[in-house]
C-alpha cells in the first residue's frame, strides 16, 4: 500500500480492536435468554465494520484537516441559512395548504406534521451540503473577505507559504536565503516537481545529473534542518493535462502561496496570472554591489585580459574588472581605481587603472 507506515499501523490496530469488540459481544451473549451470537459471527461482524470504515478512510485520503475545517465552516453557514429559511413563515404556509387540502379530515394534522418534518430535513440537508461544497471550492482569499482578521493573524504569525520549482531547488541558494530569515513561510515542494528532479538525476547528460543531484542534496539538507519547515505535498485538485509549469502555477494558486524560481519565462507567466513570484536571480542582482566611477578598492588580479597590457580580477559577486597596464601585477592584490563601466548583455564590465 502507498500509505505511510504509521497509517497502516493505525489501520491494523483498528481492525484488531473491532475484532476484539466482536469477540467480546459474542462472549457476552453466552447463556442469554435471547440467544447466543456465534463466535464466527462476532469475528466477521467486527471485520465488516473495520473494513467499511477503512474504505471510508480511503475515500477521504485527499481530504486533509484543513479541508475538514473548511467544510465544517461551510456546513455551519449552510445550516444557519436553513434555519433562517424555515423561520420566515414557510411552515405556516405549508400547514395551511395541507389543512385546506384535507379540510374536515382527521388525518390533516398527521400529514401536516409529516410534510413539515420532511421539508425541514431536506432544507437543512440541502443547504448544509451546498454550504460545505461551496466552502471547499473557495480559495483562501474568499475566506479572507469574510474573516479578514483571521487571515491577518495567520500571515503575520507563520508567513505565506512558498512553492519551490525544480530550478529553484537545483539552484542550491534557497537554503541560505531561508536560513538568513528572508523566508518565514513553509517551503512546499509538489510531488511532481520532485519526480522531475529524479528523472533528471537519471539523465544521460552529465550536467543535468549533477544539477539534479545538487538539488536532491539541497532538499535533503533543508528537511534535516529543524529551523526550516519543508514539506513534500501531493498535487491534488490540479489538472494532469496541464504542462509542468501550468500545474505548478495551479498548485501555487490553490495553496495561496508564492512561487520561487529562477526561470524568467515562468516568472513572467506567473505575474500575468496574478501569482506572487520570488526570483532568486532578481534577488541576487538586487544584492550585487554597485561599482561607481572614481571608487577605489583592493582587487586580486588573476589572469590576462583581451589586450596584452590588461589584467583581470573579479569581485565577490562575480563582476569582472579589467585593469589597464597591470599585466605584470597578475598574481597579486592591487589597489585599483574605477574609470568607466560598460553595460553588456552578460552583465556590467568595469574598467579600472592601478591606483
Amino acid at each position: 500500500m502507498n500509505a505511510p507506515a504509521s497509517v497502516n499501523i493505525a489501520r491494523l490496530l483498528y481492525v484488531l480492536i473491532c475484532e476484539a469488540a466482536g469477540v467480546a459481544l459474542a462472549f457476552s451473549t453466552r447463556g442469554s435468554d435471547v440467544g447466543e451470537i456465534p463466535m464466527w459471527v462476532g469475528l466477521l461482524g467486527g471485520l465488516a465494520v473495520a473494513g467499511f470504515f477503512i474504505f471510508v478512510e480511503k475515500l477521504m485520503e485527499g481530504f486533509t484537516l484543513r479541508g475538514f475545517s473548511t467544510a465544517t465552516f461551510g456546513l455551519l453557514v449552510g445550516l444557519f441559512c436553513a434555519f433562517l429559511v424555515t423561520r420566515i413563515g414557510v411552515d405556516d404556509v405549508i400547514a395551511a395548504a395541507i389543512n385546506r387540502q384535507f379540510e374536515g379530515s382527521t388525518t390533516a394534522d398527521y400529514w401536516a406534521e409529516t410534510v413539515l418534518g420532511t421539508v425541514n430535513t431536506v432544507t437543512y440537508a440541502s443547504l448544509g451540503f451546498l454550504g460545505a461544497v461551496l466552502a471547499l471550492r473557495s480559495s483562501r482569499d474568499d475566506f479572507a473577505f469574510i474573516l479578514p482578521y483571521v487571515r491577518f493573524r495567520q500571515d503575520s504569525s507563520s508567513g505565506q507559504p512558498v512553492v519551490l520549482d525544480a530550478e529553484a531547488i537545483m539552484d542550491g541558494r534557497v537554503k541560505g536565503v531561508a536560513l538568513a530569515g528572508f523566508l518565514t513561510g513553509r517551503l512546499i515542494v509538489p510531488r511532481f516537481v520532485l519526480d522531475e528532479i529524479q528523472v533528471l538525476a537519471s539523465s544521460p547528460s552529465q550536467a543535468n545529473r549533477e544539477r539534479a543531484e545538487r538539488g536532491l542534496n539541497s532538499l535533503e539538507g533543508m528537511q534535516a534542518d529543524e529551523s526550516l519547515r519543508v514539506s513534500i505535498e501531493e498535487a491534488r485538485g490540479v489538472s494532469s493535462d496541464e504542462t509542468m509549469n501550468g500545474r505548478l502555477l495551479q498548485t501555487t494558486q490553490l495553496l495561496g502561496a508564492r512561487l520561487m524560481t529562477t526561470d524568467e519565462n515562468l516568472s513572467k507567466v506567473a505575474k500575468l496570472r496574478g501569482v506572487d513570484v520570488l526570483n532568486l536571480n532578481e534577488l541576487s542582482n538586487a544584492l550585487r554591489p554597485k561599482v561607481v566611477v572614481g571608487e577605489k578598492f583592493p582587487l586580486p588580479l588573476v589572469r590576462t585580459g583581451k589586450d596584452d597590457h590588461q589584467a583581470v580580477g573579479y569581485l565577490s559577486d562575480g563582476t569582472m574588472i579589467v585593469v589597464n597596464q597591470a599585466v605584470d601585477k597578475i598574481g597579486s592584490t592591487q589597489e585599483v581605481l574605477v574609470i568607466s563601466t560598460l553595460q553588456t548583455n552578460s552583465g556590467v564590465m568595469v574598467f579600472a587603472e592601478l591606483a
Side-chain angles (χ1 to χ4, degrees):
M1 301 176 69
N2 295 327
S6 56
V7 175
N8 289 330
I9 292 175
R11 290 171 178 167
L12 178 60
L13 291 176
Y14 177 67
V15 171
L16 294 177
I17 291 173
C18 289
E19 293 285 17
V23 171
L25 180 61
F27 270 116
S28 66
T29 60
R30 289 192 171 184
S32 175
D33 296 336
V34 297
E36 296 184 2
I37 298 178
M39 188 66 64
W40 66 269
V41 173
L43 289 172
L44 289 181
L47 185 61
V49 171
F52 172 76
F53 281 100
I54 289 177
F55 174 71
V56 173
E57 179 265 331
K58 285 291 291 181
L59 294 178
M60 299 174 63
E61 189 174 7
F63 196 62
T64 62
L65 184 60
R66 178 178 178 181
F68 176 76
S69 61
T70 301
T72 302
F73 176 79
L75 177 63
L76 293 177
V77 173
L79 294 178
F80 178 71
C81 293
F83 173 79
L84 295 179
V85 169
T86 56
R87 292 298 182 274
I88 60 176
V90 175
D91 292 356
D92 296 335
V93 173
I94 295 175
I98 294 175
N99 287 328
R100 285 196 301 269
Q101 184 70 25
F102 296 92
E103 186 174 358
S105 175
T106 57
T107 61
D109 292 338
Y110 169 76
W111 282 108
E113 183 178 351
T114 302
V115 172
L116 286 177
T118 303
V119 170
N120 287 338
T121 301
V122 172
T123 301
Y124 276 93
S126 301
L127 291 182
F129 167 73
L130 292 177
V133 171
L134 288 176
L136 289 172
R137 289 178 178 175
S138 301
S139 64
R140 193 177 71 164
D141 291 334
D142 297 326
F143 285 98
F145 178 76
I146 302 173
L147 302 171
Y149 179 71
V150 173
R151 177 170 181 183
F152 173 75
R153 293 286 298 174
Q154 178 184 358
D155 288 348
S156 63
S157 60
S158 61
Q160 191 176 4
V162 178
V163 175
L164 305 178
D165 75 340
E167 296 296 329
I169 296 173
M170 293 187 294
D171 184 82
R173 292 178 289 180
V174 176
K175 183 178 180 180
V177 174
L179 291 176
F182 290 99
L183 295 176
T184 57
R186 185 164 53 101
L187 302 179
I188 300 174
V189 181
R191 175 69 64 180
F192 60 85
V193 170
L194 184 60
D195 293 340
E196 180 186 5
I197 298 177
Q198 290 176 335
V199 170
L200 289 177
S202 303
S203 171
S205 171
Q206 182 178 357
N208 287 339
R209 289 200 307 271
E210 291 178 353
R211 292 178 65 243
E213 290 173 1
R214 181 175 61 187
L216 293 175
N217 292 334
S218 175
L219 186 58
E220 183 180 5
M222 287 190 290
Q223 284 188 313
D225 196 316
E226 296 182 355
S227 63
L228 301 180
R229 293 175 297 164
V230 182
S231 60
I232 310 296
E233 300 288 348
E234 297 290 345
R236 303 189 184 278
V238 178
S239 174
S240 58
D241 297 333
E242 286 276 1
T243 62
M244 180 67 67
N245 288 344
R247 295 168 66 189
L248 191 63
L249 294 178
Q250 278 192 17
T251 302
T252 305
Q253 290 176 318
L254 287 174
L255 295 174
R258 295 172 291 174
L259 174 64
M260 175 168 284
T261 181
T262 59
D263 190 330
E264 298 295 336
N265 293 327
L266 178 58
S267 296
K268 294 176 182 178
V269 174
K271 291 176 181 178
L272 290 175
R273 293 178 58 168
V275 176
D276 293 334
V277 180
L278 302 175
N279 192 315
L280 288 173
N281 290 335
E282 293 180 359
L283 176 62
S284 177
N285 291 334
L287 295 177
R288 182 172 295 174
K290 303 299 181 182
V291 179
V292 297
V293 176
E295 183 179 358
K296 291 183 180 181
F297 50 85
L299 178 70
L301 303 178
V302 296
R303 65 178 181 85
T304 59
K306 183 178 180 180
D307 296 334
D308 294 338
H309 62 87
Q310 293 175 337
V312 174
Y314 296 90
L315 297 179
S316 59
D317 64 345
T319 302
M320 184 174 69
I321 312 292
V322 179
V323 184
N324 295 323
Q325 308 300 331
V327 66
D328 56 338
K329 305 294 184 180
I330 292 177
S332 63
T333 299
Q334 300 292 323
E335 190 83 7
V336 299
L337 173 67
V338 178
I339 58 174
S340 66
T341 60
L342 176 63
Q343 182 68 47
T344 65
N345 293 332
S346 58
V348 179
M349 287 188 61
V350 181
F351 295 90
E353 292 181 348
L354 294 172

